[in-house]
């Protein structure tokens, strides 16, 4: 049987599994089992057992539940309220005024949660009612939240960067540091867009006359100090080489617990809820990673990735053409699957192509995460859209329309890091 026919059979089987509602992890395992049983003479049971255990028994993977738990703890604290209080006095003189709070608050929370959906839910619960009460346009409130919440996938500590690092055997510490400047680039693009929109639509914005002295601004901003110290402690220790991502995650959990206790939001119920939420999410991701690792090994036995990489290489595509094609491919995949599933599903097939084209896998990880961010705000399976739909009660297409400008801003960010790859690689090279 030809490789093309084999690929089509396995692809149809995968979509049949996913379309039937079978869990992503079981779907990946099922396709891997079918590939090895039908198209390989390798010992299926032995390969499956050693692969699942080998990829589950990973020290790098230990950072995953710890960072998720840190985000769950802070999700149940008064962090979003503190950020709104601390940031709002500084935003009144900017074009767009308090709409910028959404962008900056999402950027800060992204640096302690690692989750796009958690960022949208946490900041949205406070900012949507407050900005609506003040008379800000609903479309811009939803759009800034939908776009800025995707920063949770890029600004470290990012859950999806851990998944990519484990799936592709890249340094998680270097991936974290590589995400810092692109994350700030996106924040800058979002702030610039809001400012330009505000200058062109002055009549649509309320007149804010909240004046505060410099001393008053500093007094309100004191509530931001603990979370800023938490971010600097976690990311700074990794960048300085003092701690591994797993060590930094453990310290982050302890600091998050102390911060929550200091605020009076750490109760037995909130502790148990946060721990169980982190456990459920971590198990889901770990299970998907285990299924993807077996599928990767199974694909190796069939020879599909090698032949596909050779075929792509024979086409003589330029790097830019290949990246454009992969962008379209990942956005389409993201319309039907969550970001983590997209990464683990495609790693085994895509990475040989990337290596064949001479693309730095570290740089490609950040490129991939930005594309996955774009898929978070594309229907029908954009997770951020679901979160904001539940918070606002609006139709998902209306939410998606509000988020559309931020989708295009992410395309601009992709173009910038393709033209200037040093934005991604500069900080890791200084480590």
């Amino acid at each position: 049987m030809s490789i093309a026919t084999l690929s089509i059979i396995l692809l149809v089987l995968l979509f049949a599994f996913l379309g039937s509602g079978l869990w992503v992890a079981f779907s990946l395992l099922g396709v891997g089992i079918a590939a090895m049983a039908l198209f390989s003479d390798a010992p299926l049971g032995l390969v499956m057992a050693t692969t699942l255990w080998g990829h589950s028994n990973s020290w790098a993977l230990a950072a995953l539940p710890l960072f998720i738990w840190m985000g769950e703890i802070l999700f149940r604290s008064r962090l979003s309220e503190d950020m709104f209080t601390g940031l709002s006095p500084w935003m009144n003189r900017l074009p767009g005024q308090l709409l910028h709070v959404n962008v900056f608050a999402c950027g800060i929370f992204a640096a302690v949660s690692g989750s796009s959906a958690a960022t949208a839910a946490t900041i949205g619960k406070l900012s949507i009612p407050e900005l609506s009460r003040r008379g800000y346009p609903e479309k811009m409130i939803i759009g800034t939240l939908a776009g800025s919440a995707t920063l949770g996938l890029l600004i470290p500590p990012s859950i999806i960067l851990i998944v990519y690092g484990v799936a592709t055997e890249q340094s998680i510490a270097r991936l974290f540091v590589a995400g810092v400047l692109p994350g700030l680039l996106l924040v800058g693009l979002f702030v610039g867009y809001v400012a330009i929109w505000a200058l062109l639509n002055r009549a649509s914005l309320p007149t804010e006359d909240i004046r505060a002295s410099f001393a008053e601004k500093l007094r309100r901003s004191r509530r931001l100090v603990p979370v800023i110290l938490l971010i600097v402690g976690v990311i700074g220790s990794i960048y300085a080489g003092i701690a591994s991502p797993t060590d930094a995650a453990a310290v982050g959990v302890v600091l998050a617990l102390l911060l929550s206790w200091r605020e009076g939001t750490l109760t037995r119920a909130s502790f148990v809820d946060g721990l169980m939420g982190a456990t459920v999410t971590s198990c889901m991701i770990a299970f998907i990673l285990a299924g993807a690792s077996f599928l990767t090994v199974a694909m190796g036995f069939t020879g599909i990735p090698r032949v596909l990489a050779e075929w792509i290489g024979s086409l003589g595509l330029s790097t830019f053409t290949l990246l454009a094609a992969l962008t379209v491919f990942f956005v389409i995949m993201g319309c039907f699957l969550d970001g983590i599933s997209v990464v683990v599903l495609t790693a085994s097939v895509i990475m040989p192509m990337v290596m064949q084209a001479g693309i730095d896998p570290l740089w490609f990880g950040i490129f991939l995460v930005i594309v996955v961010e774009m898929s978070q705000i594309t229907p029908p399976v954009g997770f951020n859209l679901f979160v904001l739909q539940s918070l606002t009660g609006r139709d998902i297409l209306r939410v998606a329309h509000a988020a559309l400008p931020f989708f295009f801003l992410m395309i601009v960010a992709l173009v910038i890091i393709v033209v200037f790859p040093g934005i991604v690689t500069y900080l890791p090279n200084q480590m």
Side-chain angles (χ1 to χ4, degrees), residues 61-74:
L61 205 55
L64 188 67
L66 290 171
F67 277 127
I68 293 173
W69 191 16
M70 185 178 77
E72 289 281 347
I73 295 165
L74 295 172

Side-chain angles (χ1 to χ4, degrees), residues 369-422:
V369 169
I370 295 177
V371 177
V372 170
E373 282 183 348
M374 293 160 59
S375 70
Q376 296 291 298
I377 53 176
T378 53
V381 191
F383 275 26
N384 286 11
L385 302 183
F386 288 142
V387 171
L388 292 172
Q389 182 187 29
S390 67
L391 289 176
T392 61
R394 300 301 183 191
D395 178 78
I396 193 167
L397 292 179
R398 186 169 179 178
V399 177
H401 183 259
L404 189 60
F406 295 87
F407 178 90
F408 290 119
L409 288 173
M410 290 179 201
I411 294 179
V412 172
L414 282 181
V415 173
I416 292 174
I417 68 166
V418 168
V419 177
F420 304 104

Side-chain angles (χ1 to χ4, degrees), residues 87-101:
L87 289 171
S88 55
W90 302 94
M91 301 294 122
N92 287 319
R93 294 189 179 277
L94 292 177
Q97 300 167 324
L98 295 186
L99 287 173
H100 293 290
V101 174

Side-chain angles (χ1 to χ4, degrees), residues 120-307:
T122 305
I123 305 303
K125 283 178 183 176
L126 182 69
S127 71
I128 290 175
E130 180 68 20
L131 295 181
S132 299
R133 182 182 66 80
R134 291 171 182 260
Y136 284 87
E138 183 185 58
K139 181 179 178 181
M140 285 301 290
I141 296 173
I142 295 173
T144 51
L145 267 175
S148 303
T150 61
L151 295 168
L153 295 180
L154 182 60
I155 294 179
S158 162
I159 304 304
I160 202 167
L161 282 177
I162 298 175
V163 171
Y164 176 83
V166 171
T168 61
E169 300 181 350
Q170 293 296 308
S171 165
I172 293 172
R174 285 172 58 81
L175 283 168
F176 275 5
V177 173
V180 172
L181 292 182
L184 294 176
L185 170 65
L186 279 172
V187 170
L189 289 173
F190 294 163
V191 168
Y193 169 75
V194 171
I196 293 170
W197 182 91
L199 291 173
L200 297 176
N201 298 272
R202 293 178 186 273
S204 300
L205 290 170
T207 303
E208 292 276 2
D209 191 22
I210 305 174
R211 298 188 181 183
S213 65
F214 185 73
E216 174 65 15
K217 290 179 179 180
L218 289 178
R219 189 185 67 80
R220 292 193 190 183
S221 298
R222 283 187 305 175
R223 300 175 70 173
L224 290 173
V225 172
V227 71
I228 297 297
L229 291 177
L230 175 61
I231 295 168
V232 172
V234 172
I235 305 304
S237 63
I238 296 173
Y239 180 77
I242 299 171
S244 71
T246 306
D247 300 330
V251 173
V253 168
V254 173
L255 293 177
L257 286 169
L258 289 174
L259 179 59
S260 183
W261 170 76
R262 179 177 171 274
E263 290 182 342
T265 56
L266 182 62
T267 63
R268 179 184 175 85
S270 68
F271 180 84
V272 172
D273 287 347
L275 186 58
M276 291 306 297
T279 302
V280 169
T281 305
S282 302
C283 289
M284 177 195 71
I285 295 173
F287 198 15
I288 291 174
L289 277 171
S293 66
F294 177 66
L295 179 60
T296 300
V297 172
M299 289 297 100
F301 278 105
T302 63
I304 291 176
R306 176 181 52 79
V307 173

Side-chain angles (χ1 to χ4, degrees), residues 11 14-15 18 28 325-347 350 368 371-372 375-376 378-382:
L11 193 62
L14 174 62
F15 280 105
L18 293 172
L28 298 176
L326 289 176
T327 300
V328 174
F329 170 73
F330 282 123
V331 169
I332 293 172
M333 289 283 288
C335 289
F336 304 98
L337 296 170
D338 66 279
I340 290 172
S341 299
V342 169
V343 172
V344 297
L345 264 173
T346 57
I350 296 299
L368 175 56
V371 177
V372 170
S375 70
Q376 296 291 298
T378 53
V381 191

